[in-house]
């Protein structure tokens, strides 16, 4: 008898129902993963925002285990591809195979035609494989033998890479880094978390149960895309991105020599999509400036190209984004007299108020 619950029969209709369901899914992943709450939450943000996620951390901090557990909870097909320097594009997207019986070429699709692709150590793949991944991630389709084959829905690539320098590492080009909606740094666990890992994983490790399914995920993605974004919040997002291109216009002339290339318009769209997803996870049908600030680091930092002197001085792009978020003022709600009077009248007529 399986301990995996069936896919929910009813789709969530309200934001509260969606937030409750997403909370259950996140808690199931955290039954297996100790700590790393930020990483688990950002994986869900990527899924709801229909974007890809890049996890960077030293070996052994549960990047692969987190992705595997996340795929178990969300449901759908899952494939793990170990990227190595001798990999060729046909190993991942598929190829044409000659059939002697029919005297024709048949298409054998590769392992990427699943809902969740775990690209393990993606920075070890050579340039040809990286170019094949570009079409898959940007267009969510693959071209083989002059024909186009779409990826299933939902579709998300979750890649991992190690920050340590070693042989056989190919740094990801800027164009491919830009295809990732989020880049999440996975730190070492804290001392109490390390002890919990020892206790939990030294015996039979826990397993995550399925909470969602492909149909539910597609419905939740539609709900996230309909989360309301006020014009003031939209303008705030644009100012954050513009500050990476012309920092002197926003009171940060010292960053002119630090940032060589600012964020592209894809960062603007990514901030909106990620903020909407985070608002839905928090049970709101509208985006707050705090939602934008919470995802700004992971959306913008990997899209910045720092100058030579900044790289030589070990300037962290995360610190640059934090400086920009701190300097660009966020919109604050302002009540006019008519709104204040309407709110006062509404509270005055509520039951139990005198």
């Amino acid at each position: 008898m399986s301990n995996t619950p069936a896919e929910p029969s009813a789709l969530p209709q309200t934001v509260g129902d969606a937030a409750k369901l997403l909370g259950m899914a996140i808690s199931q992943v955290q039954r297996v993963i100790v700590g790393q709450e930020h990483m688990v939450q950002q994986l869900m943000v990527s899924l709801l925002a229909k974007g890809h996620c890049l996890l960077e951390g030293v070996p052994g901090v549960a990047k692969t285990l987190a992705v595997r557990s996340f795929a178990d909870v969300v449901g759908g097909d899952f494939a793990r591809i170990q990227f190595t320097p001798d990999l060729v594009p046909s190993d991942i997207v598929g190829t044409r195979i000659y059939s002697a019986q029919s005297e024709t070429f048949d298409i054998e699709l590769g392992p990427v035609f699943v809902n969740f692709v775990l690209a393990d150590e993606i920075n070890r793949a050579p340039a040809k494989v990286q170019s094949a991944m570009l079409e898959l991630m940007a267009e969510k389709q693959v071209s083989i033998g002059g024909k186009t084959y779409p990826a299933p829905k939902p579709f998300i690539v979750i890649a991992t890479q190690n920050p340590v320098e070693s042989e056989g590492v190919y740094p990801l080009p800027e164009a491919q880094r830009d295809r990732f909606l989020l880049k999440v740094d996975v730190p070492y666990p804290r001392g109490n978390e390390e002890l919990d890992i020892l206790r939990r994983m030294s015996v039979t490790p826990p397993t995550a149960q399925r909470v969602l399914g492909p149909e539910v995920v597609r419905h939740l993605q539609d709900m996230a895309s309909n989360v309301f974004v006020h014009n003031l919040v939209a303008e705030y997002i644009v100012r954050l991105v513009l500050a990476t291109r012309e920092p002197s216009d926003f009171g940060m002339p010292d960053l002119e020599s630090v940032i060589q290339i600012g964020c592209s318009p894809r960062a603007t769209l990514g901030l909106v999509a990620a903020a909407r997803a985070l608002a839905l996870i928090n049970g709101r049908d509208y985006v707050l400036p705090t939602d934008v600030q919470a995802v700004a680091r992971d959306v913008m930092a990997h899209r910045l190209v720092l100058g030579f002197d900044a790289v030589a001085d070990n300037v962290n792009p995360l610190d640059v984004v934090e400086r920009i978020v701190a300097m660009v003022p966020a919109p604050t709600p302002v009540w006019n007299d008519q709104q204040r009077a309407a709110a006062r009248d509404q509270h005055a007529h509520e039951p139990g108020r005198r």
Side-chain angles (χ1 to χ4, degrees), residues 57-72:
V58 297
V61 291
K63 301 186 298 295
T64 303
L65 179 61
V67 177
R68 185 60 200 245
S69 303
F70 183 75
D72 291 340

Side-chain angles (χ1 to χ4, degrees), residues 227-237 286-287 331:
V227 171
F228 175 71
V229 180
H230 194 276
N231 285 339
L232 291 177
V233 178
E235 292 172 359
Y236 174 57
I237 291 173
Y286 55 91
V287 173

Side-chain angles (χ1 to χ4, degrees), residues 154-184:
F155 176 76
I156 178 175
V157 174
I158 304 176
T160 67
Q161 69 175 10
N162 299 328
V164 292
E165 291 293 333
S166 58
E167 294 183 4
V169 172
Y170 300 81
L172 293 182
E174 288 79 5
Q176 187 166 359
R177 290 206 310 266
D178 199 34
R179 295 301 194 278
F180 285 101
L181 173 67
L182 302 173
K183 177 179 176 290
V184 182

Side-chain angles (χ1 to χ4, degrees), residues 23-282:
M24 291 172 54
I26 291 175
S27 65
Q28 280 295 321
V29 179
Q30 291 177 335
R31 288 185 68 242
V32 181
I33 304 300
V34 179
Q36 308 292 6
E37 293 87 357
H38 179 71
M39 174 181 64
V40 175
Q41 184 187 66
Q42 297 301 71
L43 286 175
M44 187 62 74
V45 167
S46 295
L47 178 64
L48 295 177
K50 303 179 185 179
H52 309 295
C53 186
L54 177 62
L55 306 178
E56 181 175 281
V58 297
V61 291
K63 301 186 298 295
T64 303
L65 179 61
V67 177
R68 185 60 200 245
S69 303
F70 183 75
D72 291 340
V73 170
V74 174
D77 299 328
F78 171 82
R80 177 192 178 201
I81 304 174
Q82 183 67 49
F83 281 63
T84 56
D86 60 347
L87 210 64
V88 295
S90 59
D91 292 334
I92 61 172
V93 302
T95 186
R96 301 169 66 194
I97 298 178
Y98 180 74
S99 173
Q101 183 177 2
S102 61
E103 297 184 352
T104 57
F105 283 94
D106 297 331
I107 299 297
E108 183 71 23
L109 297 179
V112 296
F113 287 89
V114 292
N115 299 115
F116 294 91
V117 176
L118 170 58
D120 232 347
E121 296 186 282
I122 191 172
N123 55 330
R124 291 189 178 276
K128 287 185 177 181
V129 176
Q130 302 290 4
S131 64
M133 289 293 296
L134 273 179
E135 181 186 10
L136 176 66
M137 294 171 61
E139 309 297 335
K140 297 185 179 178
Q141 65 182 27
V142 168
S143 299
I144 305 175
K147 293 184 179 180
T148 300
Y149 299 88
K153 296 181 180 180
F155 176 76
I156 178 175
V157 174
I158 304 176
T160 67
Q161 69 175 10
N162 299 328
V164 292
E165 291 293 333
S166 58
E167 294 183 4
V169 172
Y170 300 81
L172 293 182
E174 288 79 5
Q176 187 166 359
R177 290 206 310 266
D178 199 34
R179 295 301 194 278
F180 285 101
L181 173 67
L182 302 173
K183 177 179 176 290
V184 182
D185 289 334
V186 185
Y188 282 117
R190 294 182 287 269
N192 60 323
E193 294 172 347
E194 192 93 18
L195 185 59
D196 198 7
I197 292 172
L198 176 62
R199 290 171 175 167
R200 188 179 301 186
M201 296 301 178
S202 60
V203 293
T204 303
T207 57
Q209 295 183 345
R210 180 181 175 185
V211 176
L212 307 176
E215 183 181 359
V216 179
V217 170
R218 289 193 293 267
H219 180 73
L220 290 171
Q221 288 176 339
D222 292 338
M223 293 184 68
S225 63
N226 290 325
V227 171
F228 175 71
V229 180
H230 194 276
N231 285 339
L232 291 177
V233 178
E235 292 172 359
Y236 174 57
I237 291 173
V238 172
R239 289 200 305 271
L240 286 176
V241 175
L242 291 179
T244 66
R245 305 173 192 169
E246 300 293 339
S248 59
D249 294 345
F250 295 85
M252 296 172 287
D254 55 304
L255 293 184
E256 288 282 358
S257 60
V258 174
I259 302 176
Q260 181 178 351
I261 301 177
C263 293
S264 69
R266 193 175 280 121
T268 308
L269 299 176
L271 282 173
V272 174
R276 279 175 162 160
L278 186 59
L280 183 63
I281 292 174
N282 292 330

